[in-house]
Amino acid sequence: MREIPDDHRVFMDRAVEAFIRIALIAVLVAWCFEIVRPFLVPFLWAVIITIGLYPGYLRLTHQLQGRRVLAAVIMTLLSFLLLLVPAILLSASLVGEIHHIINLLMHESFKIPPLPEAVTQWPLIGDDLDRIWTDGTENIKSLLTELQPEISVAVHWTLGVAGGAGIGLIHIIIAILIAGFLLANAEAGQRASELFARRIASERGLEFATLAGATIRSVTRGILGVALIQSLLAGLGWLAIGVPAAGLWALVALLLCIVQIGLLPITIAMLVYAFFHLGTLAFIAFLVWSLFVYSLEHILKPILLGRGVDVPMAVVFVGAIGGFLSAGIIGLFVGAVILVLGYKLFLVWLHDHFDRSAKPASSSTESDPAS
């Protein structure tokens, strides 16, 4: 039997030792990830909130003569007041409306009300609409029986949205608390992020970290901040006039604002609803409120960040929708920010690669006398 050379034996020993170390590190990393996974989305959201609030936190700290902890507490309380209270009101409206609809559908005496008299008097189409509506309401039981599978799917989906809203509220509470601790220790966190970025990308790490912070601040202010303010104010207005499922419509409005479609389609629908259900003075007040909320996009964007963030809306749309499907309501924000950040970093890496490859060619061209 041929003996194994000493150098081969040393190589095998080192390979086995390296494999064991890598396996232990992989197990440790997987275990740590499993432990922190429930807090991963709230922590990402907390980092986003912290970066977005950091300039205001610095100004408040200066006004309070350097008392960082007090400034962090005030910013945390303001975040709770501005984000959590409207979200709780709209979520309660959504859950209550879903419960009311389910009770109506399960009640034997459920009937669809007739069309308003003003609609039946519309020229050309009023009579036809009234006849179609009447036929549908008289055969409502048979219609519900035929559509029972589709109704069940819709009810389960709606209940899932309501449950996701509740989980999203819990995530928001945890994220705001974490953001308060991060703001109070902002300097140490900034140093740690810079060290981590340099460890990952060496001399380009600080540049990437600065770009990441600027991108997150751009998205949170220019797109997500305006969308959140508009949808919350619009939802509170719909809640005040008694729009059914105002919380669900506010969620739809938030999604439309994030993907840059805007409030115009849903605002027109709500104005039509208010025209037939409110008095003249109430309708005029709601019209003024709706126009004010709709115009906030053109008022706030120049104040916050001008044109927002220079990124294709398709990236924001995919990030928002994908984040919503994977992490619920809070994923609308986290998904958009993470995908935009990845997109910007990819562009920087891509342009840097082409710039480096173009430099030798340009230098050789300049040194060629014939050129």
Side-chain angles (χ1 to χ4, degrees), residues 33-45 171 174 178:
F33 177 77
E34 188 67 23
I35 293 173
V36 302
R37 186 174 61 176
F39 302 94
L40 186 61
V41 172
F43 182 78
L44 290 176
W45 183 225
H171 283 175
I174 298 175
I178 296 175

Side-chain angles (χ1 to χ4, degrees), residues 319-367:
I321 298 299
F324 175 70
L325 294 177
S326 62
I329 295 177
I330 199 172
L332 283 172
F333 302 93
V334 176
V337 171
I338 295 300
L339 197 61
V340 169
L341 177 58
Y343 173 80
K344 297 291 285 186
L345 291 177
F346 174 75
L347 285 185
V348 171
W349 171 81
L350 192 63
H351 292 164
D352 181 69
H353 172 73
F354 278 104
D355 291 342
R356 290 183 180 180
S357 61
K359 284 182 181 179
S362 61
S363 61
S364 62
T365 304
E366 293 175 358
S367 60

Side-chain angles (χ1 to χ4, degrees), residues 294-319:
Y294 176 72
S295 63
L296 282 178
E297 179 181 2
H298 307 287
I299 298 174
L300 291 178
K301 275 193 174 181
I303 295 176
L304 294 178
L305 265 178
R307 297 174 56 189
V309 58
D310 185 17
V311 66
M313 283 303 105
V315 177
V316 181
F317 176 79
V318 172

